Amino acid sequence: MNEFATIGELARGLRQGDYSSVELIRHYLARIDANSTLNTFITVAEDEALNAAASADQAFERGEAGPLTGIPLAHKDIFCTQGIATTCGSRILENWIAPYDATVVDRLAHAGAVLLGKTNMDEFAMGSSNENSYFGAALNPWDSSRVPGGSSGGSAAAVAAGLTPVATGTDTGGSIRQPAAFCGVAGIKPTYGRVSRYGMAAFASSLDQAGVFGHDAQDLAVVLSIMSGFDPRDSTSSDRADSWLTGVSESGLKPNDEGLTIGLPSEYFKDLNEGATLLQAAAKEFENAGCRLTQISLPHTDAAIPAYYIIAGAEASTNLARYDGVHFGYRCENPKSLEDLYQRSRSEGFGIEVKRRILTGTYALSVGYFDAYYLKAQKLRRLIQQDFLSAFEEVDLILAPTTPGVAFHTGDLTDDPVAMYQQDIFTIPASLAGLPALSLPCGFTGGLPIGMQLIGPHFSERRLLETSALYQQNTDWHQRHPEVA
Amino acid sequence: MQWEPVIGLEVHVQLATKSKIFSGASPAFGGAPNAQACPVDLGLPGVLPVLNAEAVRMAVMFGLAINATIYPYSIFDRKNYFYPDLPKGYQISQFDHPIVGPGTLTIQMENGDTHIIRITRAHLEEDAGKSLHTAYAGMTGIDLNRTGTPLLEVVSEPDLRSPAQAVAYFKQLHALVRYLKICDGNLAEGSMRCDANVSVRPLGATELGERSEIKNINSFRFVEKAIQFEIERQIDILESGGKVKRDTRLYDSERNETRSMRSKELSDDYRYFPDPDLLPVRLTLEFIAAVKASLPELPQARKARFTTELKLSDYDAAWLTNDPAVADYFEAVLATAHDAKLTANWIMGDASAALHRDDLEWTDCPVPATELGQLIARINDNTISSKLAKTVFEALWTKEGTVDEIIDARGLRQLSDSGALRGIIEKIMMDNPDQVAQYRAGKDRVLGFFVGQVMKATQGKANPGQVNELLLDSLKREKGSEE
């Protein structure tokens, strides 16, 4: 069995009876176990997975199998799963079990997918290296002395290491795209509103968006097609029903041959060292495939990081108020008073980065600072959105680096939060604008993968994925895999 | 010095929706603790609020009923604070952009004076849960059933000048929301709760004095008493040379006093900001027009109609229109009775007393309106006497049958045969010569004695007007024949 098979290949294997779903799941569970030092999973749901696989096999027998029946996947541990722990990478939810399934979890389960377990992540999705996980960082399968990126580092590393063919993630400022780039896999953050946020523990509600990791564009499209769509439980979910998306698992993704105009934003390339030549080669690849390249400018790019850390912090400071030791989750020992219960439960339950963001966010919303910080950040956010809208009057897609460089070493940036925040400089602008964006592997530097980012107009996932399919048709970076156990 | 109280009220009106403002759970009162709290109400990780359109419609109805501005664009904000009965650590409310803007409510005092009270705004928000401090020794229980119950917070300008005006305003609001059927008006269950901002200033001054806020008053009587206490407390402080401190107070009805809960010198910072989980509420002009078209007749219009068209007194009209259930019952009775004043008397008298006696609501009145109407009609067509009508009413109450069945079955039909009545009268006069003599000697009061005797002889069935007439006639004739 190909350890790095796509779900298309696995579905064929299941259909043809090359293996049963139970056999397939046992295979992946064994791989997870063999690679446990990568620490990609917080919880492995072995019993539940084998039960679900047995049901999938019965569905095949009854001839009722759908596109994902019997296909293994993993969920970032931020999606609520009924009966299986949901920790958000935090001590404060260490033993918390959700009484309900997130919409994403529910839809994928209904499509027959088998949940292997819950993947490691930076606490409450706050981080770019996975080092903020209470359960210890996941490691990069290409070099275990390096970080897999964050916050969805566990999902990216698990897909890269062949421990699951696909995995979900969430992206608030780059938490899917950056780890995808660091781990050499594909990862898409859809348009804000494309996928329901119901059941996804909130970090920054106006930015959080669920997405998926996989090896190729087709896998991303198939999983996305099932995750997407209006959810009456999420007022911010879009009620668009794109027929290509709902039909993509049958029809397959067609490599884009429209001769698109692709914009290269000068602000993203000006200081780029590592990977610059690989990005240029990727651009050339598109040109060779009939696309037109053009330089563009996104003048407010520099404002993105400060605006983002104000807005995301502000929202996080209130989203995380519910973790107070009263109703659920971690509670300190022997509280002396209500105040003491709040203070110690939260002080002991949250990690340092979460506290830092709660404090900055609280500050930004306080009387006397609200206008100077929160309102100003919202103005900057609109300017950044406007940059993109203007650019998309000229170009169909934007090609940019995903990260400033390759995966850094564990511990390199932990003492310098601002340098850590700079890691997200190329992914945050699209998040602030609510745009769909994905990262694809586009080469290697010193044996480490480099990612390129494609950013499209709102709800242009089809164009993004078909353009990715075009690239992957002509290149084989996505078929390079790390050596793992 | 003469002091002038200045009062503003914030009234929380619990909207009578079937589900909560942001979740599908039931907001019904009285369930087992936490039985009516779903994951959204519990504020579990990952849950999201979804706005209940019915709450929006009700808020718009209220706004239109007070002639307020309805904002086509309003926003839900998060009001952040920690409290055990607030599971999310923030309350979803409206801050800068409420759904209902300035409007007015006219109140009428007992002496007939009217005052126009300005309403600053009304906004939608979710209620918090309840802390139960007595149920568990040494611990506090949290009941989140009330969490997420839709509230409309109605904020008045400081236009009220006495406790009586504050009560009149609260009552007028109470009547209005029940007319609109947007609130059950049950004060005992907390369906309407009132915070009062109270200050005093020298009469004639234009600047406002420092105020205190009395929280969570839930009866008309307590609104009056709490404000009265607070006014006196503040005047005492000022007259003894002190300064009123801005604070939040609680009214203790057992001791009839207000007590400071917390000082407001350091104002709370709730860090309001727009809730990113909810879209702005956008209302079309068509929607607002449709809600307007659906408004029922409002209490003041109904009262005016009762005084002008039905010629009822101000007092009667106010009494009858205060509660829409009473007014509806009244109009249904009137449709058969065709006598507004007599119908008003029956409803304000016997019917009200009987309901009170049996602890029933108007909507549960065991006497159908058509039957009470028929009873009144039977009084007016002289089929029965007013006195025996009370007997019929009690029989209707215990569901003995229709008015006419009861009259016949019990033989209560009024005796109006003048020949038979004359015979009875003559016999009574013969039997009571002393009284006849007294009457003749000018003691008119003795007439009452004869009426009583006739009624006794006829078991109350004699038509009293006819008896009077015949008695006068007979007594005069006797008199005349002797002369």
Side-chain angles (χ1 to χ4, degrees):
Chain A
M1 196 179 295
N2 172 12
E3 267 123 31
F4 303 99
T6 63
I7 57 175
E9 289 161 356
L10 295 175
R12 210 173 308 124
L14 285 167
R15 255 200 321 276
Q16 291 169 358
D18 297 348
Y19 34 78
S20 69
S21 177
V22 169
E23 285 168 337
L24 186 64
I25 297 306
R26 281 193 198 288
H27 167 79
Y28 278 100
L29 288 171
R31 290 195 50 68
I32 293 168
D33 190 43
N35 288 283
S36 60
T37 52
L38 289 177
N39 201 25
T40 51
F41 281 78
I42 291 173
T43 302
V44 180
E46 189 169 334
D47 294 345
E48 292 88 346
L50 289 171
N51 285 338
S55 301
D57 285 333
Q58 286 164 13
F60 273 110
E61 277 169 31
R62 289 194 305 269
E64 291 170 1
L68 290 186
T69 301
I71 299 293
L73 60 67
H75 286 307
K76 183 179 184 179
D77 206 16
I78 200 167
F79 292 98
C80 287
T81 45
Q82 189 171 358
I84 300 171
T86 299
T87 69
C88 295
S90 181
R91 183 187 192 190
I92 216 157
L93 287 178
E94 187 174 3
N95 298 309
W96 186 68
I97 295 179
Y100 75 104
D101 277 334
T103 299
V104 162
V105 171
D106 184 55
R107 288 186 177 175
L108 287 166
H110 266 91
V114 176
L115 178 62
L116 294 169
K118 311 286 292 289
T119 59
N120 206 347
M121 57 182 283
D122 284 297
E123 186 177 10
F124 286 103
M126 298 176 192
S128 308
S129 68
N130 230 260
E131 291 161 289
N132 298 331
S133 169
Y134 174 67
F135 303 95
L139 307 180
N140 193 316
W142 293 91
D143 176 351
S144 61
S145 71
R146 291 175 188 266
V147 303
S151 66
S152 315
S155 285
V159 172
L163 313 185
T164 177
V166 288
T168 57
T170 61
D171 189 315
T172 305
S175 281
I176 289 175
R177 292 160 286 159
Q178 187 251 20
F182 278 11
C183 292
V185 297
I188 184 167
K189 176 200 96 77
T191 311
Y192 182 81
R194 176 69 92 174
V195 179
S196 168
R197 293 185 295 117
Y198 189 77
M200 206 173 100
F203 158 20
S205 312
S206 73
L207 295 155
D208 295 343
Q209 180 60 205
V212 59
F213 295 93
H215 294 294
D216 68 7
Q218 172 69 20
D219 277 7
L220 299 189
V222 170
V223 178
L224 185 62
S225 72
I226 289 158
M227 292 166 71
S228 301
F230 176 68
D231 179 3
R233 292 175 183 275
D234 177 0
S235 314
T236 63
S237 73
S238 164
D239 56 4
R240 297 173 63 100
D242 290 312
S243 56
W244 73 271
L245 190 57
T246 44
V248 76
S249 62
E250 284 91 49
S251 61
L253 209 53
K254 186 175 65 74
N256 188 295
D257 59 0
E258 292 167 10
L260 300 177
T261 301
I262 297 178
L264 303 167
S266 53
E267 291 80 3
Y268 286 57
F269 287 91
K270 64 176 196 265
D271 299 322
L272 193 66
N273 299 316
E274 270 182 327
T277 50
L278 292 172
L279 262 295
Q280 276 150 20
K284 188 80 188 150
E285 200 67 56
F286 283 113
E287 202 167 32
N288 293 341
C291 299
R292 197 173 71 81
L293 300 179
T294 181
Q295 292 288 323
I296 59 165
S297 175
L298 298 168
H300 296 94
T301 301
D302 280 350
I305 288 181
Y308 171 84
Y309 278 94
I310 296 293
I311 293 166
E315 293 180 9
S317 72
T318 92
N319 280 331
L320 271 61
R322 70 194 62 201
Y323 307 104
D324 60 2
V326 173
H327 301 273
F328 51 80
Y330 177 80
R331 179 184 288 183
C332 67
E333 297 281 333
N334 302 318
K336 306 278 180 290
S337 64
L338 181 60
E339 197 81 346
D340 184 45
L341 184 150
Y342 285 147
Q343 286 184 3
R344 281 200 292 126
S345 298
R346 287 167 69 79
S347 296
E348 295 163 16
F350 288 135
I352 179 87
E353 181 60 27
V354 170
K355 286 181 215 169
R356 186 180 288 133
R357 297 204 199 185
I358 289 173
L359 288 173
T360 51
T362 302
Y363 185 81
L365 289 177
S366 298
V367 166
Y369 300 98
F370 183 84
D371 291 3
Y373 291 99
Y374 183 80
L375 279 190
K376 186 165 271 179
Q378 292 289 9
K379 282 178 191 153
L380 290 173
R381 183 176 188 172
R382 278 192 287 280
L383 291 172
I384 289 161
Q385 284 168 337
Q386 198 50 53
D387 278 0
F388 281 108
L389 294 181
S390 305
F392 287 127
E393 287 173 12
E394 313 290 325
V395 302
D396 299 307
L397 287 180
I398 291 168
L399 171 63
T402 309
T403 60
V406 295
F408 48 88
H409 283 103
T410 301
D412 268 6
L413 301 180
T414 39
D415 294 335
D416 189 349
V418 175
M420 187 73 94
Y421 297 169
Q422 293 292 330
Q423 286 296 313
D424 299 329
I425 185 160
F426 300 141
T427 48
I428 281 175
S431 291
L432 287 170
L435 298 169
L438 56 72
S439 179
L440 294 176
C442 68
F444 288 83
T445 294
L448 295 167
I450 287 279
M452 71 163 160
Q453 187 178 201
L454 292 174
I455 304 167
H458 290 109
F459 298 104
S460 68
E461 284 86 348
R462 178 181 196 170
R463 194 184 299 161
L464 283 176
L465 290 162
E466 290 181 349
T467 305
S468 301
L470 174 73
Y471 180 77
Q472 292 188 326
Q473 177 180 265
N474 298 328
T475 59
D476 66 353
W477 303 116
H478 61 293
Q479 288 161 352
R480 312 253 179 124
H481 304 293
E483 285 177 24
V484 288
Chain B
M1 191 188 296
Q2 279 273 80
W3 297 94
E4 180 185 51
V6 177
I7 303 155
L9 296 189
E10 293 170 19
V11 178
H12 291 84
V13 177
Q14 184 175 315
L15 297 176
T17 52
K18 289 196 182 69
S19 58
K20 291 182 177 178
I21 185 165
F22 299 120
S23 83
S26 164
F29 179 83
N34 299 309
Q36 287 162 201
C38 71
V40 175
D41 306 326
L42 298 175
L44 295 184
V47 299
L48 296 170
V50 176
L51 179 60
N52 182 339
E54 191 59 7
V56 172
R57 193 187 63 82
M58 288 179 171
V60 172
M61 258 188 128
F62 176 80
L64 292 169
I66 59 163
N67 290 314
T69 311
I70 306 296
Y71 291 116
Y73 178 88
S74 65
I75 288 180
F76 282 99
D77 296 279
R78 292 185 183 176
K79 179 182 182 180
N80 296 285
Y81 65 96
F82 284 103
Y83 203 71
D85 66 16
L86 189 71
K88 296 191 299 294
Y90 58 84
Q91 177 196 29
I92 304 176
S93 181
Q94 296 190 304
F95 185 54
D96 278 342
H97 297 276
I99 187 161
V100 174
T104 57
L105 195 67
T106 303
I107 60 170
Q108 184 166 28
M109 309 307 294
E110 277 189 15
N111 65 8
D113 287 356
T114 60
H115 303 278
I116 295 171
I117 308 303
R118 290 170 301 159
I119 289 174
T120 317
R121 58 183 280 170
H123 65 256
L124 285 166
E125 63 184 25
E126 58 178 347
D127 207 345
K130 272 186 206 161
S131 298
L132 309 169
H133 296 296
T134 50
Y136 309 94
M139 290 193 283
T140 297
I142 310 286
D143 178 4
L144 297 178
N145 282 352
R146 205 179 64 185
T147 307
T149 297
L151 298 178
L152 186 67
E153 181 172 336
V154 182
V155 182
S156 85
E157 292 286 321
D159 284 356
L160 301 159
R161 293 289 174 270
S162 68
Q165 285 186 15
V167 174
Y169 169 83
F170 194 18
K171 282 187 173 169
Q172 188 62 40
L173 263 188
H174 184 251
L176 180 61
V177 297
R178 281 180 309 158
Y179 266 73
L180 297 171
K181 297 190 165 63
I182 62 172
C183 175
D184 67 15
N186 191 328
L187 271 61
E189 292 178 3
S191 296
M192 282 180 81
R193 308 193 293 272
C194 169
D195 300 342
N197 285 296
V198 180
S199 65
V200 297
R201 64 183 172 190
L203 190 63
T206 49
E207 267 180 48
L208 292 171
E210 187 59 274
R211 69 165 191 256
S212 60
E213 184 180 12
I214 315 168
K215 282 281 189 196
N216 251 327
I217 323 170
N218 67 350
S219 87
F220 297 131
R221 202 160 54 92
F222 292 163
V223 165
E224 182 150 22
K225 293 177 91 170
I227 294 173
Q228 186 61 47
F229 175 88
E230 187 54 23
I231 290 167
E232 287 165 13
R233 188 186 72 87
Q234 292 187 12
I235 291 174
D236 282 351
I237 291 172
L238 295 169
E239 290 194 336
S240 59
K243 273 188 173 170
V244 173
K245 281 199 205 102
R246 182 161 186 173
D247 66 354
T248 302
R249 307 180 72 83
L250 208 59
Y251 176 67
D252 180 337
S253 58
E254 279 174 27
R255 297 187 186 182
N256 186 32
E257 63 180 28
T258 65
R259 279 199 303 273
S260 188
M261 284 166 73
R262 57 176 187 263
S263 151
K264 274 223 166 175
E265 282 165 6
L266 289 171
S267 124
D268 295 313
D269 183 357
Y270 291 116
R271 290 175 283 119
Y272 282 100
F273 82 111
D275 190 332
D277 289 332
L278 289 160
L279 303 174
V281 180
R282 291 173 199 276
L283 303 175
T284 62
L285 294 177
E286 291 74 23
F287 172 80
I288 296 169
V291 175
K292 188 161 198 170
S294 76
L295 285 182
E297 185 185 30
L298 299 177
Q300 267 153 359
R302 204 169 198 181
K303 185 180 160 218
R305 183 163 59 80
F306 281 15
T307 52
T308 53
E309 286 180 20
L310 304 178
K311 311 288 179 216
L312 292 176
S313 70
D314 253 9
Y315 177 83
D316 288 1
W319 200 104
L320 292 168
T321 54
N322 187 43
D323 177 347
V326 179
D328 288 348
Y329 188 76
F330 168 79
E331 295 210 70
V333 173
L334 185 59
T336 315
H338 303 294
D339 182 334
K341 179 59 190 162
L342 194 51
T343 301
N345 289 348
W346 270 90
I347 286 178
M348 294 163 69
D350 294 71
S352 167
L355 284 171
H356 187 71
R357 179 194 66 207
D358 291 359
D359 199 18
L360 290 173
E361 298 294 323
W362 281 94
T363 43
D364 303 326
C365 182
V367 180
T370 47
E371 289 305 318
L372 182 53
Q374 184 68 8
L375 179 61
I376 293 164
R378 287 286 173 257
I379 297 167
N380 278 342
D381 70 8
N382 291 327
T383 307
I384 50 168
S385 66
S386 295
K387 188 151 183 263
L388 286 180
K390 290 178 190 294
T391 309
V392 177
F393 181 79
E394 285 307 321
L396 284 170
W397 194 265
T398 53
K399 303 209 177 280
E400 274 183 32
T402 66
V403 169
D404 290 337
E405 285 164 3
I406 292 165
I407 292 172
D408 287 340
R410 295 203 175 190
L412 302 176
R413 198 165 287 276
Q414 189 157 261
L415 197 53
S416 318
D417 176 341
S418 45
L421 284 175
R422 261 187 212 286
I424 292 166
I425 287 169
E426 271 162 28
K427 181 165 185 306
I428 289 169
M429 285 172 65
M430 298 242 300
D431 292 349
N432 298 283
D434 290 354
Q435 281 77 3
V436 173
Q438 283 172 15
Y439 182 81
R440 260 193 237 130
K443 267 200 173 177
D444 288 352
R445 280 192 296 122
V446 183
L447 184 65
F449 165 78
F450 287 107
V451 172
Q453 290 298 310
V454 175
M455 286 301 177
K456 198 173 165 190
T458 58
Q459 290 105 49
K461 283 184 277 184
N463 178 335
Q466 204 178 359
V467 168
N468 247 10
E469 213 171 275
L470 291 173
L471 268 172
L472 285 172
D473 187 51
S474 298
L475 287 164
K476 260 188 212 145
R477 245 191 312 121
E478 290 275 328
K479 230 175 180 173
S481 70
E482 277 192 8
E483 277 165 6

